[in-house]
Amino acid sequence: MIKPNYHIILLGAPGSGKGTLAKYLIEQYKFKHLSTGDMFRKVIADNTPLGQQLKNIVATGALVSDDVTNAVVKEQLLNLVNNKISFILDGYPRTPVQAQFLDNIIKPNLILLIDVEKELAIKRIIGRRLCPKCGAIYNIYFKKPKMDSICDYDGEFLIQRKDDNHDTISNRFDLYQEVTSGLIEYYHGSGNLYRIDANNGIAAILPEVVKLIEQ
């Protein structure tokens, strides 16, 4: 078990395996998972003045500003910190301004930067196939179904997400690198930023991650 009030920031480009790692850590250590996407959807659903403002921003396709993002996460962060609940931050902070805001609330115990080569990340995503019935996930390069395009469990025809294509993923990867470069520089020298090589898959890095958390 981990200490109360333990906080992890999880950084990783699309295809890095960040989501798989987050799922493992949540199950293993009972972390609360905080993702900006989930928080945004909750605030919009609550239909507060902030929620209405956020809804308008999202509807136009504009980027959510640092000020609005910080306002959205502040209440949930304070609630968890005050109740000494350990959590993983996924998708926040994304800029040095957001990191400075976070530092005024809590100092993260651990910052994990999940590294993966671009072409491998793209291959992981464009090879992904989903079962629309049971939700099983396959990959035509790394985890093939027994029968081509057919789910092993229920015989459903597997599908590919519309945005799981090379150009879209390549652009998302490049944007991530551009946006987070300043954030990585901000945390460089903090003593708790660890760069993890995930090119061999998440299973290969779990012992290293567990050691960092439990040390």
Side-chain angles (χ1 to χ4, degrees):
M1 295 296 293
I2 57 171
K3 299 176 182 179
N5 229 12
Y6 192 96
H7 315 115
I8 295 177
I9 294 175
L10 202 52
L11 304 173
S16 66
K18 177 168 64 75
T20 301
L21 178 59
K23 183 178 179 181
Y24 170 83
L25 296 179
I26 291 162
E27 293 175 350
Q28 180 73 15
Y29 296 103
K30 310 307 178 187
F31 282 110
K32 176 73 175 178
H33 184 223
L34 289 181
S35 99
T36 46
D38 291 342
M39 288 187 277
F40 285 170
R41 284 186 285 273
K42 182 181 184 302
V43 171
I44 290 173
D46 290 343
N47 203 31
T48 61
L50 178 60
Q52 293 172 9
Q53 180 184 1
L54 182 58
K55 183 178 180 179
N56 292 335
I57 295 171
V58 172
T60 62
L63 291 176
V64 181
S65 69
D66 289 329
D67 288 344
V68 172
T69 301
N70 289 337
V72 168
V73 303
K74 181 179 180 179
E75 183 177 350
Q76 291 200 48
L77 284 176
L78 287 174
N79 179 59
L80 293 174
V81 171
N82 291 337
N83 286 285
K84 301 187 183 303
I85 296 174
S86 299
F87 57 81
I88 293 175
L89 280 169
D90 182 357
Y92 181 89
R94 289 195 173 181
T95 68
V97 171
Q98 293 176 16
Q100 290 172 350
F101 183 85
L102 177 63
D103 279 344
N104 289 325
I105 300 175
I106 58 103
K107 299 283 187 180
N109 300 87
L110 185 63
I111 305 160
L112 295 175
L113 175 59
I114 312 304
D115 257 350
V116 66
E117 294 176 2
K118 180 178 178 179
E119 287 308 314
L120 175 58
I122 292 173
K123 198 172 183 179
R124 286 177 178 174
I125 295 177
I126 64 175
R128 184 167 54 192
R129 299 294 185 271
L130 312 174
C131 175
K133 185 174 182 179
C134 70
I137 301 176
Y138 302 86
N139 191 290
I140 62 174
Y141 303 110
F142 308 113
K143 187 186 175 185
K144 296 180 180 180
K146 295 175 182 177
M147 294 180 60
D148 187 35
S149 301
I150 301 297
C151 180
D152 294 346
Y153 304 105
D154 49 40
E156 286 289 316
F157 189 79
L158 301 177
I159 61 173
Q160 182 181 25
R161 293 174 182 168
K162 290 182 179 179
D163 57 352
D164 282 0
N165 62 77
H166 190 283
D167 289 346
T168 298
I169 301 305
S170 178
N171 290 337
R172 284 177 56 202
F173 191 98
D174 292 342
L175 179 61
Y176 167 83
Q177 299 284 59
E178 179 183 342
V179 169
T180 57
S181 61
L183 183 63
I184 294 168
E185 184 177 346
Y186 177 87
Y187 282 124
H188 183 72
S190 66
N192 55 2
L193 172 65
Y194 294 87
R195 190 181 294 267
I196 308 292
D197 184 344
N199 286 300
N200 291 324
I202 291 302
I205 68 171
L206 284 180
E208 182 180 1
V209 172
V210 168
K211 184 177 179 180
L212 287 171
I213 293 173
E214 296 185 355
Q215 68 184 5

